[in-house]
Amino acid sequence: MGFLADALSRVKPSATIAMTQKARELKASGMDVISLSVGEPDFDTPDHIKEAAIDAIRRGETKYPPVSGIVPLREAIVKKFKRENGLDYKVSQTIVGTGGKHVIYNALLATLNPGDEVVIPRPYWVSYPEMVILCGGTPVFAETDMAHDFKLQPEELERAITPKTKWIILNSPSNPSGAAYTRDEMKKITDVLMRHPHVWVLTDDMYEHLTYGDFEFVTPAQVEPGLYDRTLTMNGVSKAYAMTGWRIGYAAGPEQLIKAMDFVQGQQTSGASSISQWAAVAALDGTQEHLARFKAAFQERRDLVVSMLNQSNGLKCPVPEGAFYVYPSCAELIGKTTESGKTLASDEDFVTELLQAEGVAAVHGSAFGLGPNLRISYATSNKTLEEACRRIQRFCGSLR
């Protein structure tokens, strides 16, 4: 009998964390490395949010918080969903966790039994299938392609659903592709789900505020009220408020589910950091002026990166609607040989050789379930992105 749990042998390590760590190690050794592998805004947390945290410390808000979150934050979450999404929730229908990943994990842990299936469109955030496996479920993948901008089509969703399906996880805008669903596109997805009343919807809206141009964000229960009683709408402050290190995610859904998640969390981590929660109150209830600045900067960066990547030999990069990632195809470069003599057999080979040859860290698309692609984060300065894209162009041009 082995000491470690068998489940660990079925779970893959996070490719995004692994690549980021590899880039750090090479940089520490003296190599000139540009890391485009991490999903973290380069902006600082807005000052009014930081001041709210400092005020909370001075008031002595440093004791154990309630497991489901402090009431002022849960009230702010209720107001946010009503104000921005047209969704009506009671405070008792909300929960706060230590980041969005924690919220998703608790929902799966509270609901999955062996044999339960969770439909996950690919490309997917690397943690979705691994969390499903750790919680005893079975991930089932629904296919997308570049021709449809990596958006799930209704017929593919229909094909993926079985009598064993318990959840579908929807992420819009998407990590890794940046794809986001219009109201009409989301309605086609929700129409399928209305025909399958046993399927619950877990929607990851973490990048809600990072959409560009005239794009209008929508969430499933907003588009189809008939799904309200079987939807968990998850969000957080990490991306739109540049609060990744504060570790606050939240969700709202049916009270029975929220109580089950509270039960799990009570035996797992208890409440999220009290100081971070007070900061999140200021984020949700306070001024949103910084969002326009964030969005304008990210849109400019997106356009820069898409343009330069599409000028690279063999790369094809669609224009995403949101988040801060692009997901170009490197299919035309598979089989090519590098100047060092390495033949590229996969997208993983591509990003590995790109890092070694040019010091640019990206993540291979197969880690997100769909290749040959690579995920590039443009959450850094224009100057850095220009240099990184020049290096990518040089690397692609060197392949034979």
Side-chain angles (χ1 to χ4, degrees):
M1 180 184 294
F3 175 68
L4 298 178
D6 291 344
L8 295 185
S9 66
R10 301 191 294 272
V11 174
K12 298 189 294 289
S14 169
T16 55
I17 293 174
M19 180 57 79
T20 301
Q21 181 58 32
K22 189 171 184 179
R24 285 190 187 124
E25 291 169 358
L26 288 174
K27 195 167 188 176
S29 71
M31 186 175 181
D32 178 16
V33 174
I34 299 175
S35 180
L36 304 181
S37 59
V38 66
E40 182 171 47
D42 59 324
F43 300 112
D44 194 14
T45 305
D47 286 342
H48 71 282
I49 298 173
K50 291 190 285 188
E51 289 302 322
I54 294 168
D55 289 344
I57 293 171
R58 288 176 175 149
R59 290 197 311 271
E61 305 282 3
T62 56
K63 306 300 182 183
Y64 287 129
V67 171
S68 290
I70 60 173
V71 171
L73 179 52
R74 297 174 78 189
E75 290 174 339
I77 291 165
V78 168
K79 287 185 286 185
K80 175 263 181 278
F81 279 126
K82 178 63 175 177
R83 178 179 70 244
E84 298 180 353
N85 309 111
L87 293 172
D88 290 304
Y89 291 108
K90 298 179 292 185
V91 168
S92 59
Q93 292 178 277
T94 65
I95 191 167
V96 178
T98 307
K101 182 184 287 190
H102 186 214
V103 173
I104 296 170
Y105 188 88
N106 283 352
L108 297 174
L109 189 60
T111 58
L112 291 181
N113 293 308
D116 288 343
E117 296 176 351
V118 178
V119 173
I120 303 172
R122 55 170 143 204
Y124 46 72
W125 181 42
V126 293
S127 292
Y128 293 148
E130 312 312 322
M131 287 193 285
V132 168
I133 292 168
L134 280 171
C135 292
T138 302
V140 173
F141 301 110
E143 305 302 330
T144 72
D145 55 40
M146 187 180 286
H148 294 99
D149 297 320
F150 303 113
K151 298 179 190 181
L152 179 62
Q153 300 302 297
E155 57 271 18
E156 290 296 332
L157 173 57
E158 190 79 59
R159 189 175 293 118
I161 292 173
T162 76
K164 295 180 180 180
T165 305
K166 181 161 279 186
W167 288 99
I168 177 174
I169 300 178
L170 290 173
N171 176 211
S172 174
S174 161
N175 175 4
S177 71
Y181 293 84
T182 66
R183 182 175 290 271
D184 287 345
E185 289 167 341
M186 186 66 79
K187 185 64 167 64
K188 291 176 182 177
I189 297 299
T190 60
D191 284 349
V192 173
L193 294 169
M194 288 298 292
R195 295 196 291 271
H196 297 277
H198 68 292
V199 179
W200 282 60
V201 184
L202 201 168
T203 177
D204 180 349
D205 297 346
M206 190 63 74
Y207 296 90
E208 170 185 1
H209 292 296
L210 300 180
T211 60
Y212 309 116
D214 297 326
F215 188 89
E216 176 198 2
F217 172 84
V218 291
T219 195
Q222 174 186 14
V223 172
E224 177 48 74
L227 291 174
Y228 177 89
D229 289 332
R230 52 188 171 106
T231 296
L232 182 71
T233 303
M234 190 282 289
N235 211 313
V237 296
S238 294
K239 312 300 182 180
Y241 300 92
M243 294 176 67
T244 50
W246 298 77
R247 309 311 303 135
I248 294 293
Y250 60 83
E255 197 162 334
Q256 180 185 11
L257 173 60
I258 297 298
K259 286 181 178 178
M261 292 169 64
D262 174 81
F263 179 78
V264 167
Q265 191 161 302
Q267 296 292 359
Q268 183 193 61
T269 59
S270 294
S273 162
S274 60
I275 304 307
S276 294
Q277 289 193 59
W278 282 105
V281 173
L284 296 183
D285 278 350
T287 178
Q288 308 293 304
E289 290 178 356
H290 71 283
L291 288 176
R293 177 169 55 88
F294 281 18
K295 289 175 67 168
F298 280 134
Q299 182 168 342
E300 184 178 345
R301 295 169 181 183
R302 177 201 66 175
D303 294 344
L304 166 68
V305 170
V306 169
S307 175
M308 292 190 72
L309 291 180
N310 278 326
Q311 295 172 51
S312 303
N313 180 50
L315 293 184
K316 292 184 178 178
C317 185
V319 182
E321 292 91 349
F324 39 67
Y325 310 105
V326 291
Y327 201 65
S329 169
C330 59
E332 293 182 12
L333 301 175
I334 303 303
K336 301 284 188 180
T337 302
T338 68
E339 289 183 326
S340 65
K342 169 73 175 180
T343 299
L344 302 180
S346 66
D347 51 9
E348 186 170 5
D349 284 347
F350 181 94
V351 298
T352 299
E353 293 302 310
L354 173 64
L355 179 58
Q356 293 293 337
E358 294 288 351
V360 176
V363 186
H364 51 291
S366 54
F368 302 95
L370 184 64
N373 293 73
L374 56 149
R375 190 196 76 170
I376 290 173
S377 168
Y378 52 86
T380 190
S381 70
N382 288 36
K383 181 180 178 180
T384 300
L385 291 170
E386 286 180 7
E387 174 59 22
C389 288
R390 279 194 292 268
R391 296 184 189 187
I392 293 170
Q393 288 176 345
R394 188 165 60 218
F395 176 73
C396 291
S398 72
L399 299 176
R400 295 292 179 263

